[in-house]
Amino acid sequence: MRKLFTSESVTEGHPDKLCDFISDSVLDSYLAEDENARVACETVAGKGEIIITGEITSKAEGIDIEKIVRNTIKEVGYDNSELDIDYRTCKISVNISKQSPDIALGVDKSLEDKEGEDVASEGAGDQGIMFGFATDETENFMPMPIYLAHKLSKRLTEVRKQNIIDYLRPDGKTQVTVEYEGNTPVRVHTIVLSTQHNADVDLETLKKDIKEKVINYVVPNELLDENTKYYINPTGRFVIGGPLGDSGLTGRKIIVDTYGGYARHGGGAFSGKDPSKVDRSACYMARHLAKNIVANGYAKKCEIQLSYAIGVAKPISIYVDTFNTSTIPENEIVDKINEKFDLTPRGIINYLKLQNPIYKQTTNYGHFGKENLEWEKIVKL
């Protein structure tokens, strides 16, 4: 049976991703000086203005948040207030408080520790459900639609920053529809790509350059055919972009950050949160578990759910679904997970080395599928 599935990605200049990048840049700056910093940094971007809010508790001193924001906007490539935003002149407002002492009570000392159990002392920073997923349909164990959408978005940024296409601006989006035969991806059905550009560029020139230097560079030729549809800047014009074209907000691209809608997602976003927040750290761990179940040959596809209660160290539940592709019973997979891995917040933080300032490299083009990250490493189960 043939079926279609679509996923989208965005460039680092998309207003929501700009906010994610700023929040993770602030987080990394604090972790570089204080590995135990508690950070929940939210960013809002609007016309000519960036607002930083949230809670930060840290021993780090002298962190210049405004400077971090301006440098991050510059790194993305925004320097024109008439088209998007200018890192030199935009207004920056900072409204940061400290972590609630009520939350800190449960994070600093877990319920199990208070009751005398031999469990790592920290509790989860919040209740929540977290999902991890992996499939063997691509080389990095990600679903094909989001795999290709991210590669297109990343390439769109590369051709801009390297002046391969010198008239592009930072904002952009991609979308890929893949046709499956059963559970096997067989061809790309449709590619949608919208990119911000300078006003004096001819649309036909842009379409030709994007097709040649972005799409054909990224998408394997065997997945394209004469019936593949292309929609490149389908509105015909995309000059005004970034926060001038649309407001931005941290945590609004959670499906882009994970599996492109191919697998389920919990309630929490990632960017701007230190690893004591299981919204982030437990999702990374769930991906690690799912990927290694597939990589070790126990299944062709795997989804894992972990759930936590605020102030409690151990997960409340572990759920495994291999979609009838497993080589051993799913309850045995759960047993292997429990035997090999410490799924308390402290256990996850130590195992994945999450107190290092690594988060800027996670922000764009997906938090999963990047081989240099700890949770993407393959281990023997």
PDB file of all heavy atoms in Angstrom, residues 339-360:
ATOM      1  N   GLU A 339      17.958  -2.658  33.521  1.00  0.00           N
ATOM      2  CA  GLU A 339      19.205  -3.265  33.981  1.00  0.00           C
ATOM      3  C   GLU A 339      20.419  -2.389  33.658  1.00  0.00           C
ATOM      4  O   GLU A 339      21.349  -2.286  34.455  1.00  0.00           O
ATOM      5  CB  GLU A 339      19.399  -4.638  33.320  1.00  0.00           C
ATOM      6  CG  GLU A 339      18.459  -5.712  33.842  1.00  0.00           C
ATOM      7  CD  GLU A 339      18.482  -6.964  32.975  1.00  0.00           C
ATOM      8  OE1 GLU A 339      19.380  -7.059  32.096  1.00  0.00           O
ATOM      9  OE2 GLU A 339      17.612  -7.825  33.162  1.00  0.00           O
ATOM     10  N   LYS A 340      20.403  -1.741  32.496  1.00  0.00           N
ATOM     11  CA  LYS A 340      21.608  -1.057  32.007  1.00  0.00           C
ATOM     12  C   LYS A 340      21.648   0.429  32.329  1.00  0.00           C
ATOM     13  O   LYS A 340      22.724   1.007  32.476  1.00  0.00           O
ATOM     14  CB  LYS A 340      21.727  -1.247  30.482  1.00  0.00           C
ATOM     15  CG  LYS A 340      23.029  -0.679  29.906  1.00  0.00           C
ATOM     16  CD  LYS A 340      23.224  -1.060  28.472  1.00  0.00           C
ATOM     17  CE  LYS A 340      24.532  -0.489  27.904  1.00  0.00           C
ATOM     18  NZ  LYS A 340      25.722  -1.041  28.565  1.00  0.00           N
ATOM     19  N   PHE A 341      20.487   1.090  32.470  1.00  0.00           N
ATOM     20  CA  PHE A 341      20.468   2.550  32.518  1.00  0.00           C
ATOM     21  C   PHE A 341      19.840   3.080  33.811  1.00  0.00           C
ATOM     22  O   PHE A 341      18.828   2.565  34.291  1.00  0.00           O
ATOM     23  CB  PHE A 341      19.693   3.120  31.320  1.00  0.00           C
ATOM     24  CG  PHE A 341      20.295   2.766  29.997  1.00  0.00           C
ATOM     25  CD1 PHE A 341      19.775   1.729  29.237  1.00  0.00           C
ATOM     26  CD2 PHE A 341      21.399   3.456  29.511  1.00  0.00           C
ATOM     27  CE1 PHE A 341      20.325   1.391  28.013  1.00  0.00           C
ATOM     28  CE2 PHE A 341      21.960   3.130  28.282  1.00  0.00           C
ATOM     29  CZ  PHE A 341      21.422   2.089  27.541  1.00  0.00           C
ATOM     30  N   ASP A 342      20.440   4.132  34.327  1.00  0.00           N
ATOM     31  CA  ASP A 342      19.904   4.888  35.458  1.00  0.00           C
ATOM     32  C   ASP A 342      19.078   6.032  34.886  1.00  0.00           C
ATOM     33  O   ASP A 342      19.624   6.985  34.323  1.00  0.00           O
ATOM     34  CB  ASP A 342      21.061   5.417  36.310  1.00  0.00           C
ATOM     35  CG  ASP A 342      20.588   6.261  37.492  1.00  0.00           C
ATOM     36  OD1 ASP A 342      19.370   6.501  37.628  1.00  0.00           O
ATOM     37  OD2 ASP A 342      21.452   6.701  38.280  1.00  0.00           O
ATOM     38  N   LEU A 343      17.778   5.941  35.011  1.00  0.00           N
ATOM     39  CA  LEU A 343      16.885   6.922  34.395  1.00  0.00           C
ATOM     40  C   LEU A 343      16.415   8.001  35.363  1.00  0.00           C
ATOM     41  O   LEU A 343      15.450   8.708  35.087  1.00  0.00           O
ATOM     42  CB  LEU A 343      15.681   6.202  33.766  1.00  0.00           C
ATOM     43  CG  LEU A 343      16.037   5.205  32.655  1.00  0.00           C
ATOM     44  CD1 LEU A 343      14.778   4.568  32.090  1.00  0.00           C
ATOM     45  CD2 LEU A 343      16.841   5.876  31.549  1.00  0.00           C
ATOM     46  N   THR A 344      17.107   8.162  36.489  1.00  0.00           N
ATOM     47  CA  THR A 344      16.852   9.322  37.341  1.00  0.00           C
ATOM     48  C   THR A 344      17.434  10.556  36.658  1.00  0.00           C
ATOM     49  O   THR A 344      18.329  10.443  35.811  1.00  0.00           O
ATOM     50  CB  THR A 344      17.505   9.155  38.719  1.00  0.00           C
ATOM     51  OG1 THR A 344      18.937   9.121  38.556  1.00  0.00           O
ATOM     52  CG2 THR A 344      17.041   7.867  39.406  1.00  0.00           C
ATOM     53  N   PRO A 345      16.957  11.748  37.012  1.00  0.00           N
ATOM     54  CA  PRO A 345      17.544  12.954  36.409  1.00  0.00           C
ATOM     55  C   PRO A 345      19.061  13.017  36.559  1.00  0.00           C
ATOM     56  O   PRO A 345      19.773  13.338  35.598  1.00  0.00           O
ATOM     57  CB  PRO A 345      16.836  14.089  37.157  1.00  0.00           C
ATOM     58  CG  PRO A 345      15.504  13.518  37.514  1.00  0.00           C
ATOM     59  CD  PRO A 345      15.775  12.072  37.830  1.00  0.00           C
ATOM     60  N   ARG A 346      19.586  12.698  37.732  1.00  0.00           N
ATOM     61  CA  ARG A 346      21.029  12.729  37.937  1.00  0.00           C
ATOM     62  C   ARG A 346      21.721  11.662  37.112  1.00  0.00           C
ATOM     63  O   ARG A 346      22.790  11.891  36.523  1.00  0.00           O
ATOM     64  CB  ARG A 346      21.355  12.555  39.432  1.00  0.00           C
ATOM     65  CG  ARG A 346      22.833  12.419  39.786  1.00  0.00           C
ATOM     66  CD  ARG A 346      23.723  13.451  39.130  1.00  0.00           C
ATOM     67  NE  ARG A 346      23.325  14.823  39.362  1.00  0.00           N
ATOM     68  CZ  ARG A 346      23.899  15.873  38.799  1.00  0.00           C
ATOM     69  NH1 ARG A 346      24.899  15.699  37.934  1.00  0.00           N
ATOM     70  NH2 ARG A 346      23.454  17.088  39.053  1.00  0.00           N
ATOM     71  N   GLY A 347      21.129  10.479  37.010  1.00  0.00           N
ATOM     72  CA  GLY A 347      21.703   9.411  36.211  1.00  0.00           C
ATOM     73  C   GLY A 347      21.788   9.792  34.742  1.00  0.00           C
ATOM     74  O   GLY A 347      22.802   9.541  34.076  1.00  0.00           O
ATOM     75  N   ILE A 348      20.744  10.423  34.216  1.00  0.00           N
ATOM     76  CA  ILE A 348      20.719  10.859  32.823  1.00  0.00           C
ATOM     77  C   ILE A 348      21.748  11.960  32.589  1.00  0.00           C
ATOM     78  O   ILE A 348      22.498  11.937  31.603  1.00  0.00           O
ATOM     79  CB  ILE A 348      19.313  11.347  32.437  1.00  0.00           C
ATOM     80  CG1 ILE A 348      18.320  10.181  32.433  1.00  0.00           C
ATOM     81  CG2 ILE A 348      19.323  12.042  31.082  1.00  0.00           C
ATOM     82  CD1 ILE A 348      16.864  10.605  32.276  1.00  0.00           C
ATOM     83  N   ILE A 349      21.791  12.936  33.494  1.00  0.00           N
ATOM     84  CA  ILE A 349      22.721  14.060  33.364  1.00  0.00           C
ATOM     85  C   ILE A 349      24.163  13.568  33.314  1.00  0.00           C
ATOM     86  O   ILE A 349      24.959  13.989  32.466  1.00  0.00           O
ATOM     87  CB  ILE A 349      22.522  15.065  34.525  1.00  0.00           C
ATOM     88  CG1 ILE A 349      21.208  15.828  34.344  1.00  0.00           C
ATOM     89  CG2 ILE A 349      23.693  16.042  34.606  1.00  0.00           C
ATOM     90  CD1 ILE A 349      20.779  16.627  35.560  1.00  0.00           C
ATOM     91  N   ASN A 350      24.502  12.636  34.202  1.00  0.00           N
ATOM     92  CA  ASN A 350      25.869  12.131  34.239  1.00  0.00           C
ATOM     93  C   ASN A 350      26.184  11.284  33.002  1.00  0.00           C
ATOM     94  O   ASN A 350      27.255  11.426  32.392  1.00  0.00           O
ATOM     95  CB  ASN A 350      26.093  11.296  35.501  1.00  0.00           C
ATOM     96  CG  ASN A 350      26.126  12.148  36.757  1.00  0.00           C
ATOM     97  OD1 ASN A 350      26.272  13.369  36.691  1.00  0.00           O
ATOM     98  ND2 ASN A 350      25.978  11.514  37.907  1.00  0.00           N
ATOM     99  N   TYR A 351      25.262  10.423  32.617  1.00  0.00           N
ATOM    100  CA  TYR A 351      25.496   9.501  31.502  1.00  0.00           C
ATOM    101  C   TYR A 351      25.656  10.249  30.182  1.00  0.00           C
ATOM    102  O   TYR A 351      26.526   9.922  29.364  1.00  0.00           O
ATOM    103  CB  TYR A 351      24.343   8.503  31.431  1.00  0.00           C
ATOM    104  CG  TYR A 351      24.450   7.523  30.294  1.00  0.00           C
ATOM    105  CD1 TYR A 351      25.359   6.463  30.340  1.00  0.00           C
ATOM    106  CD2 TYR A 351      23.634   7.640  29.171  1.00  0.00           C
ATOM    107  CE1 TYR A 351      25.459   5.549  29.293  1.00  0.00           C
ATOM    108  CE2 TYR A 351      23.726   6.740  28.123  1.00  0.00           C
ATOM    109  CZ  TYR A 351      24.641   5.695  28.183  1.00  0.00           C
ATOM    110  OH  TYR A 351      24.733   4.812  27.140  1.00  0.00           O
ATOM    111  N   LEU A 352      24.817  11.260  29.953  1.00  0.00           N
ATOM    112  CA  LEU A 352      24.851  12.001  28.694  1.00  0.00           C
ATOM    113  C   LEU A 352      25.709  13.274  28.767  1.00  0.00           C
ATOM    114  O   LEU A 352      25.784  14.017  27.790  1.00  0.00           O
ATOM    115  CB  LEU A 352      23.421  12.374  28.265  1.00  0.00           C
ATOM    116  CG  LEU A 352      22.479  11.205  27.951  1.00  0.00           C
ATOM    117  CD1 LEU A 352      21.102  11.729  27.550  1.00  0.00           C
ATOM    118  CD2 LEU A 352      23.049  10.316  26.851  1.00  0.00           C
ATOM    119  N   LYS A 353      26.342  13.505  29.923  1.00  0.00           N
ATOM    120  CA  LYS A 353      27.245  14.658  30.104  1.00  0.00           C
ATOM    121  C   LYS A 353      26.529  15.982  29.793  1.00  0.00           C
ATOM    122  O   LYS A 353      27.016  16.821  29.038  1.00  0.00           O
ATOM    123  CB  LYS A 353      28.491  14.508  29.233  1.00  0.00           C
ATOM    124  CG  LYS A 353      29.246  13.214  29.491  1.00  0.00           C
ATOM    125  CD  LYS A 353      30.389  13.016  28.525  1.00  0.00           C
ATOM    126  CE  LYS A 353      31.066  11.662  28.739  1.00  0.00           C
ATOM    127  NZ  LYS A 353      32.134  11.403  27.743  1.00  0.00           N
ATOM    128  N   LEU A 354      25.379  16.158  30.406  1.00  0.00           N
ATOM    129  CA  LEU A 354      24.492  17.268  30.052  1.00  0.00           C
ATOM    130  C   LEU A 354      24.783  18.572  30.784  1.00  0.00           C
ATOM    131  O   LEU A 354      24.099  19.575  30.533  1.00  0.00           O
ATOM    132  CB  LEU A 354      23.027  16.866  30.297  1.00  0.00           C
ATOM    133  CG  LEU A 354      22.506  15.722  29.430  1.00  0.00           C
ATOM    134  CD1 LEU A 354      21.062  15.404  29.780  1.00  0.00           C
ATOM    135  CD2 LEU A 354      22.635  16.047  27.945  1.00  0.00           C
ATOM    136  N   GLN A 355      25.772  18.586  31.671  1.00  0.00           N
ATOM    137  CA  GLN A 355      26.096  19.839  32.346  1.00  0.00           C
ATOM    138  C   GLN A 355      27.139  20.660  31.599  1.00  0.00           C
ATOM    139  O   GLN A 355      27.542  21.720  32.053  1.00  0.00           O
ATOM    140  CB  GLN A 355      26.565  19.562  33.783  1.00  0.00           C
ATOM    141  CG  GLN A 355      25.412  19.134  34.694  1.00  0.00           C
ATOM    142  CD  GLN A 355      25.866  18.841  36.107  1.00  0.00           C
ATOM    143  OE1 GLN A 355      26.688  17.963  36.347  1.00  0.00           O
ATOM    144  NE2 GLN A 355      25.332  19.588  37.054  1.00  0.00           N
ATOM    145  N   ASN A 356      27.552  20.183  30.441  1.00  0.00           N
ATOM    146  CA  ASN A 356      28.476  20.938  29.600  1.00  0.00           C
ATOM    147  C   ASN A 356      27.707  21.930  28.724  1.00  0.00           C
ATOM    148  O   ASN A 356      26.529  21.712  28.410  1.00  0.00           O
ATOM    149  CB  ASN A 356      29.278  19.980  28.716  1.00  0.00           C
ATOM    150  CG  ASN A 356      30.177  19.059  29.521  1.00  0.00           C
ATOM    151  OD1 ASN A 356      30.800  19.491  30.477  1.00  0.00           O
ATOM    152  ND2 ASN A 356      30.232  17.796  29.143  1.00  0.00           N
ATOM    153  N   PRO A 357      28.348  23.011  28.298  1.00  0.00           N
ATOM    154  CA  PRO A 357      27.671  24.003  27.433  1.00  0.00           C
ATOM    155  C   PRO A 357      27.594  23.521  25.985  1.00  0.00           C
ATOM    156  O   PRO A 357      28.325  23.975  25.104  1.00  0.00           O
ATOM    157  CB  PRO A 357      28.553  25.249  27.582  1.00  0.00           C
ATOM    158  CG  PRO A 357      29.909  24.714  27.906  1.00  0.00           C
ATOM    159  CD  PRO A 357      29.695  23.471  28.719  1.00  0.00           C
ATOM    160  N   ILE A 358      26.677  22.602  25.737  1.00  0.00           N
ATOM    161  CA  ILE A 358      26.574  21.930  24.432  1.00  0.00           C
ATOM    162  C   ILE A 358      25.326  22.337  23.645  1.00  0.00           C
ATOM    163  O   ILE A 358      25.097  21.844  22.538  1.00  0.00           O
ATOM    164  CB  ILE A 358      26.522  20.405  24.630  1.00  0.00           C
ATOM    165  CG1 ILE A 358      25.312  20.043  25.512  1.00  0.00           C
ATOM    166  CG2 ILE A 358      27.822  19.889  25.218  1.00  0.00           C
ATOM    167  CD1 ILE A 358      24.995  18.576  25.572  1.00  0.00           C
ATOM    168  N   TYR A 359      24.529  23.232  24.199  1.00  0.00           N
ATOM    169  CA  TYR A 359      23.148  23.327  23.725  1.00  0.00           C
ATOM    170  C   TYR A 359      22.954  24.170  22.470  1.00  0.00           C
ATOM    171  O   TYR A 359      21.985  23.965  21.731  1.00  0.00           O
ATOM    172  CB  TYR A 359      22.255  23.781  24.884  1.00  0.00           C
ATOM    173  CG  TYR A 359      22.236  22.729  25.962  1.00  0.00           C
ATOM    174  CD1 TYR A 359      23.037  22.837  27.104  1.00  0.00           C
ATOM    175  CD2 TYR A 359      21.478  21.585  25.806  1.00  0.00           C
ATOM    176  CE1 TYR A 359      23.052  21.845  28.067  1.00  0.00           C
ATOM    177  CE2 TYR A 359      21.484  20.585  26.772  1.00  0.00           C
ATOM    178  CZ  TYR A 359      22.268  20.721  27.894  1.00  0.00           C
ATOM    179  OH  TYR A 359      22.301  19.712  28.832  1.00  0.00           O
ATOM    180  N   LYS A 360      23.865  25.104  22.193  1.00  0.00           N
ATOM    181  CA  LYS A 360      23.739  25.871  20.941  1.00  0.00           C
ATOM    182  C   LYS A 360      23.801  24.962  19.720  1.00  0.00           C
ATOM    183  O   LYS A 360      23.163  25.235  18.704  1.00  0.00           O
ATOM    184  CB  LYS A 360      24.836  26.928  20.850  1.00  0.00           C
ATOM    185  CG  LYS A 360      24.569  28.212  21.617  1.00  0.00           C
ATOM    186  CD  LYS A 360      25.674  29.233  21.401  1.00  0.00           C
ATOM    187  CE  LYS A 360      25.709  29.741  19.980  1.00  0.00           C
ATOM    188  NZ  LYS A 360      26.719  30.820  19.788  1.00  0.00           N
TER     189      LYS A 360
END
